[in-house]
Amino acid sequence: MTPSTQEEFCKDVRDLLEFYFKVSEKRKSGVQKLLSEVLSYAHPDISIDCSIKMRTAGNNSLNYKGYFVSNEVFNANKGEGFKKRNGEKVQITDEHIIPKAVVIEYLKDAYKNNTLSDSMILYMTKLLSYSCLVTAEENDLLQKQGLQRKMPDGWHFPEDLDFAKEDLPDLEKLDFFARYKKAGIMYVENPNVDKVKKEYGGYKNFY
């Protein structure tokens, strides 16, 4: 996004948050779903079209454009790799490493507390660009441990995050992979990450 479209995007997110707190309880889930979609397919450094292409490429592990893969997927890629489905069976899932639900709750709390800023919105949107390709079994493992839509008990965003200065996610500071550590899922950086940057562009100083 250009600076002007970043401003427009942040305004859209603010408007959706404002609308969320105005509608009746039974309509809140619909507004949250829309907010979830807006955040999923946006990225402050690239166009919406490129972002969509990048995420939908996760449908096949051989051409996955994300940043991380689980060890199981990585090892499978040494052979024929996984396709997303084998008949009716889901084999792989492109997963947000910090769940959207966690990010959205953080933004909602910030809106209520009048601490929401454009830099915070852009930072959180970048976080959702980090995804990991996991097997269906690994995804089930997260679900069984109650970690599909939440972080482990005791995890929280650092209180000293200065979004105006820390616009680039510090994965170690965030304990970014806390869910995977808890579930025993091993992961590696996508070996094609340099190709990803070159093909899609816009990731200077991001990863």
Side-chain angles (χ1 to χ4, degrees):
M1 299 182 197
T2 64
S4 60
T5 56
Q6 284 185 10
E7 291 175 7
E8 293 168 4
F9 170 74
C10 291
K11 182 180 183 304
D12 289 342
V13 171
R14 287 176 181 277
D15 288 346
L16 281 170
L17 287 167
E18 180 180 4
F19 189 48
Y20 174 87
F21 288 108
K22 285 183 176 179
V23 299
S24 63
E25 286 299 320
K26 68 178 182 179
R27 296 185 183 276
K28 287 186 184 300
S29 61
V31 180
Q32 179 150 329
K33 183 177 180 180
L34 179 57
L35 180 60
S36 173
E37 291 299 305
V38 168
L39 291 170
S40 288
Y41 291 110
H43 189 291
D45 294 334
I46 61 177
S47 72
I48 294 294
D49 287 343
C50 282
S51 185
I52 291 173
K53 288 178 183 177
M54 185 171 176
R55 291 199 54 76
T56 55
N59 288 348
N60 187 304
S61 62
L62 294 177
N63 62 7
Y64 178 58
K65 302 297 193 294
Y67 285 112
F68 296 92
V69 294
S70 74
N71 280 8
E72 292 290 328
V73 174
F74 177 75
N75 290 330
N77 273 338
K78 294 176 182 177
E80 296 182 357
F82 286 108
K83 290 185 178 180
K84 186 168 186 178
R85 287 183 177 271
N86 179 10
E88 293 300 314
K89 182 181 178 183
V90 175
Q91 295 193 105
I92 58 172
T93 300
D94 175 23
E95 207 222 23
H96 296 285
I97 299 171
I98 292 184
K100 283 187 292 183
V102 173
V103 169
I104 289 173
E105 285 304 310
Y106 188 87
L107 292 175
K108 281 160 48 176
D109 287 344
Y111 181 86
K112 286 191 295 185
N113 296 327
N114 293 316
T115 58
L116 186 68
S117 64
D118 283 3
S119 57
M120 180 191 294
I121 293 171
L122 296 175
Y123 180 98
M124 292 296 166
T125 306
K126 283 184 178 182
L127 280 185
L128 292 178
S129 296
Y130 285 103
S131 55
C132 184
L133 205 63
V134 300
T135 66
E137 290 76 14
E138 289 169 330
N139 194 51
D140 288 343
L141 186 60
L142 288 169
Q143 187 171 14
K144 288 175 182 176
Q145 296 199 24
L147 296 172
Q148 194 171 42
R149 292 172 53 83
K150 59 177 286 189
M151 298 297 282
D153 291 342
W155 184 95
H156 55 81
F157 283 105
E159 295 180 0
D160 61 344
L161 280 177
D162 184 345
F163 298 103
K165 295 180 179 178
E166 300 185 45
D167 61 329
L168 309 179
D170 183 334
L171 303 191
E172 184 175 352
K173 182 175 183 176
L174 291 168
D175 195 9
F176 199 61
F177 293 95
R179 288 189 307 140
Y180 294 2
K181 293 173 185 175
K182 181 77 173 178
I185 296 172
M186 305 301 292
Y187 53 87
V188 295
E189 182 182 277
N190 184 351
N192 295 320
V193 71
D194 287 334
K195 182 181 177 183
V196 171
K197 295 179 194 176
K198 183 177 179 181
E199 181 175 348
Y200 285 91
Y203 283 89
K204 294 177 182 177
N205 300 321
F206 173 43
Y207 182 83

